[in-house]
Amino acid sequence: MSFAPLRSFAVAFFLSSVLALHLGCDAAEENLAPAPPPAAEESERSDQKKIIAFGDSLTAGFGIGLDEAYPAVLQEMIDREGYRYEVINAGVSGETSAGGVRRLSWVLDQREVEAIVLALGGNDGLRGLPPQEMKKNLATLIEEAKSRDITVLLAGFEAPPDARDRYVRDFVAVFPELAQEHDVTLMPSLLQGVIGVSELNQPDGKHPNAEGARVVAENVWSYLKPLLTTP
């Protein structure tokens, strides 16, 4: 299959307004391992089941740090409502779906994980990688999690209503297809309410600021809460 349409105006507009707006990462951002939580906090939460936030720069909190990234805000919400879970930030800036496949087992091993928020794929789109390759990788991640009895919340992307380019349509279609084929919950857009809102984004126009990360956390919590064991 040829991916020449990626160079068309329609795709360039889509990637710049939806993907590049929030998921663009410099090469220097790639392969940054998530920092471990402070030892004291880890000890306090050692008996709690884990929720893994597995993604790229949006999850890693590029530009705002781990303390203000959406997983940290999600932890606040969970604690406030009396749920006993520890949210582990397993975001790596610049991560692709293939990179996620290489490291998921390491992230899940030796942890009692109940749920995973799977938010990868944006960097695949930015690089023009075949959507079916991304789909295969994401399916591998989903099945690995399900084989361990881990609940999966899959975060996707939504195309502009007038998007007509074949690559764009194929890219965004991957996520609902995966949710249906693998019977997992789909969150249609991780960035709902954040895209294009200048006051919710950093000056680079690519990443949510601290306030934007709170909106992302609220988005995630609205889909994740029904999947968890009640307090």
Side-chain angles (χ1 to χ4, degrees):
M1 176 178 178
S2 172
F3 288 88
L6 181 63
R7 294 187 292 272
S8 71
F9 175 80
V11 174
F13 176 79
F14 173 73
L15 294 180
S16 63
S17 63
V18 180
L19 295 179
L21 180 64
H22 293 283
L23 296 179
C25 300
D26 296 331
E29 294 179 45
E30 297 185 18
N31 301 320
L32 300 178
E41 182 178 348
E42 183 175 334
S43 176
E44 291 171 4
R45 297 186 180 276
S46 61
D47 63 336
Q48 296 180 350
K49 291 184 178 180
K50 313 305 178 188
I51 297 169
I52 304 295
F54 196 76
D56 47 37
S57 58
L58 293 177
T59 302
F62 177 79
I64 56 176
L66 290 175
D67 290 343
E68 293 186 303
Y70 97 74
V73 182
L74 182 63
Q75 182 73 73
E76 295 174 9
M77 296 176 175
I78 288 172
D79 292 345
R80 185 165 57 245
E81 297 203 26
Y83 287 76
R84 290 186 52 77
Y85 291 94
E86 178 184 11
V87 180
I88 295 177
N89 189 330
V92 173
S93 293
E95 186 77 290
T96 62
S97 61
V101 170
R102 289 191 291 269
R103 70 185 178 94
L104 182 63
S105 293
W106 174 81
V107 171
L108 297 180
D109 284 347
Q110 301 179 358
R111 293 183 172 98
E112 189 178 357
V113 180
E114 181 160 319
I116 182 170
V117 182
L118 180 55
L120 282 174
N123 288 308
D124 293 67
L126 286 171
R127 299 178 186 192
L129 301 178
Q132 289 304 308
E133 179 181 315
M134 177 183 71
K135 183 178 181 181
K136 180 180 177 181
N137 291 333
L138 292 175
T140 298
L141 294 169
I142 292 170
E143 288 306 309
E144 170 70 12
K146 291 185 69 175
S147 72
R148 299 173 184 242
D149 295 322
I150 296 172
T151 299
V152 178
L153 173 58
L154 177 64
F157 295 90
E158 291 184 314
D162 58 349
R164 297 182 180 180
D165 188 273
R166 176 65 179 274
Y167 182 91
V168 172
R169 296 201 308 270
D170 289 349
F171 178 88
V172 299
V174 162
F175 299 92
E177 288 172 1
L178 283 168
Q180 182 175 11
E181 292 168 9
H182 297 273
D183 192 25
V184 298
T185 299
L186 174 67
M187 178 182 179
S189 175
L190 183 72
L191 299 169
Q192 182 179 356
V194 178
I195 292 175
V197 183
S198 59
E199 59 266 29
L200 297 180
N201 290 282
Q202 298 178 48
D204 66 4
K206 299 177 180 180
H207 300 87
N209 57 23
E211 186 177 352
R214 298 198 74 86
V215 175
V216 174
E218 290 169 0
N219 291 342
V220 172
W221 185 228
S222 67
Y223 285 89
L224 181 63
K225 182 178 178 179
L227 305 179
L228 301 180
T229 305
T230 56

